[in-house]
Amino acid sequence: MTTGPAGDFDVVTGAFSYSGAAIASELQAAGRRVRTLTGHPDRAPAGAAIEARPLDFTDPAGLAESLRGARVLFNTYWVRFARGHVSHEAAVAQSRVLFQAAAEAGVRRIVHVSITHPGADSPYPYFRGKAAVELALADLGLSHAVLRPSILFGGNGVLINNIAWLLRRMPVFAVGGTGQYRVRPIHVDDLARLAVRAAAAAETFVLDAVGPDRPTFLELVRHVRDSVSSGCRVICVPGPLIPPAARLLGLALRDTLLTTEEYEAMADGLADTDGPATGEISLMQWITDHQATLGRTYANELDRHFRSDKDSGHQ
Ligand SMILES: NC(=O)c1ccc[n+]([C@@H]2O[C@H](COP(=O)([O-])OP(=O)(O)OC[C@H]3O[C@@H](n4cnc5c(N)ncnc54)[C@H](OP(=O)(O)O)[C@@H]3O)[C@@H](O)[C@H]2O)c1
């Protein structure tokens, strides 16, 4: 990509990963040129027409250089869980570095992907960290929009796919507690459309990015099971049994399936909202439509973000 006049391209973090890929493709469909900041430039699909620059927080000047001339920064950067030197606290500090680089580079607006119910006093480090990042963005003084999804589905998403993968293979699937806590996932393409619209708006705002369906977790798991024609029994077990069970499965799969925090936050209702839907695609219909392919292969989070491509088999 050659650099043209200021503002004729946008920067998206993680355009070869999940939500960043959806945002990049929505931007390209609208005729925008896209540059990405990524730790995985080698994962660019053939013919992607996206220039990759390093998402290197140890080089703020390099980040600013990569952002110079951009109209909007779409920020999807975050880490799902702490592991090794990766932590939510570090991700907060790194997000600040990125925002400051954007301000220094003269980026006009930031569209930031957060989470439903971030909270400075949250018992959950993920949600506390997300609140700290939103605050850092507000303190920056740049025009911005914050989109808060609860759970993403569609594309090569992990959660629904891996529930289906387990249901296809296990005799029993355990749901924690009563399973009556609701979830409000949004399709990743709906999130991308919201992001591109948010980029074009002038005002600073915060919006929950949530889909039209709001099943209980038990309803969701049963619907996936029926859709993939699995004979798996879905049973409710005391909530505290879920994290150790997920850890055991994770050992077998060389992955982190579900952290204690992720389970507890969902059981606490943090993946639900009671406002209007801002996405259009029905989760339950999407599951039905993808019954033939859902959960055929396992999506490994550690391979995606914590292991080198050589170790994980990615090429
Ligand atoms: N996925 C969901 O269900 C979900 C639900 C609610 C909220 N969100 C929020 O949506 C945003 C995007 O999520 P996503 O699932 O679309 O993420 P993603 O595409 O997997 O990753 C987004 C960006 O973060 C980087 N990243 C992720 N994990 C990393 C790690 N361990 N070390 C270094 N860099 C890492 C990626 O780097 P690379 O470019 O190198 O891949 C990419 O640039 C996040 O803010 C997340 O909190 C997601």
Side-chain angles (χ1 to χ4, degrees):
M1 187 177 93
T2 54
T3 307
D8 77 343
F9 70 99
D10 297 310
V11 174
V12 181
T13 57
F16 309 139
S17 288
Y18 187 36
S19 57
I23 293 170
S25 113
E26 193 65 26
L27 283 168
Q28 288 185 312
R32 300 288 306 168
R33 289 198 301 145
V34 176
R35 176 180 288 173
T36 189
L37 299 173
T38 178
H40 292 94
D42 45 316
R43 290 185 187 168
I50 295 175
E51 183 197 6
R53 297 276 184 100
L55 183 59
D56 179 0
F57 301 105
T58 64
D59 179 16
L63 283 175
E65 199 38 51
S66 298
L67 286 157
R68 204 169 307 284
R71 177 192 66 145
V72 176
L73 165 64
F74 294 83
N75 178 38
T76 65
Y77 170 69
W78 189 241
V79 296
R80 214 185 106 195
F81 44 76
R83 185 179 159 93
H85 64 279
V86 174
S87 69
H88 290 126
E89 291 76 11
V92 172
Q94 289 168 337
S95 301
R96 280 201 192 99
V97 169
L98 180 63
F99 292 155
Q100 269 151 18
E104 194 190 311
V107 169
R108 295 180 204 160
R109 186 163 166 85
I110 296 178
V111 176
H112 171 66
V113 182
S114 186
I115 187 91
T116 44
H117 308 293
D121 300 325
S122 171
Y124 307 114
Y126 187 117
F127 292 78
R128 276 203 308 278
K130 283 295 205 178
V133 176
E134 286 194 15
L135 189 62
L137 179 56
D139 284 349
L140 199 66
L142 264 187
S143 160
H144 67 272
V146 175
L147 300 176
R148 292 176 170 170
S150 60
I151 292 170
L152 302 178
F153 71 96
N156 65 348
V158 170
L159 181 77
I160 309 287
N161 181 75
N162 288 354
I163 290 174
W165 190 90
L166 290 168
L167 287 164
R168 284 183 187 277
R169 284 159 187 82
M170 307 289 283
V172 176
F173 186 103
V175 168
T178 61
Q180 292 307 307
Y181 32 92
R182 291 186 182 277
V183 293
R184 194 96 191 263
I186 184 167
H187 194 285
V188 68
D189 292 344
D190 274 343
L191 174 73
R193 281 186 279 275
L194 287 177
V196 171
R197 277 209 294 277
E203 69 278 14
T204 286
F205 65 87
V206 177
L207 183 74
D208 282 341
V210 287
D213 293 352
R214 198 182 165 195
T216 66
F217 188 67
L218 188 58
E219 287 166 347
L220 169 63
V221 172
R222 286 183 174 151
H223 181 62
V224 175
R225 178 198 56 191
D226 296 345
S227 299
V228 302
S229 304
S230 153
C232 183
R233 276 185 64 213
V234 176
I235 57 166
C236 291
V237 301
L241 293 182
I242 294 296
R247 263 196 301 279
L248 267 180
L249 271 172
L251 278 177
L253 291 163
R254 295 184 71 234
D255 193 16
T256 298
L257 258 84
L258 183 76
T259 65
T260 305
E261 173 178 11
E262 285 171 336
Y263 165 68
E264 289 179 351
M266 187 171 66
D268 253 5
L270 298 194
D272 185 27
T273 65
D274 48 19
T278 49
E280 289 173 8
I281 300 172
S282 156
L283 165 73
M284 303 304 248
Q285 186 59 48
W286 181 87
I287 290 169
T288 305
D289 292 346
H290 291 79
Q291 57 193 188
T293 51
L294 211 53
R296 290 281 180 203
T297 54
Y298 182 77
N300 189 304
E301 175 74 15
L302 292 187
D303 281 355
R304 288 186 181 194
H305 289 307
F306 291 86
R307 292 189 183 108
S308 74
D309 284 355
K310 201 164 118 275
D311 295 339
S312 67
H314 276 289
Q315 294 301 321

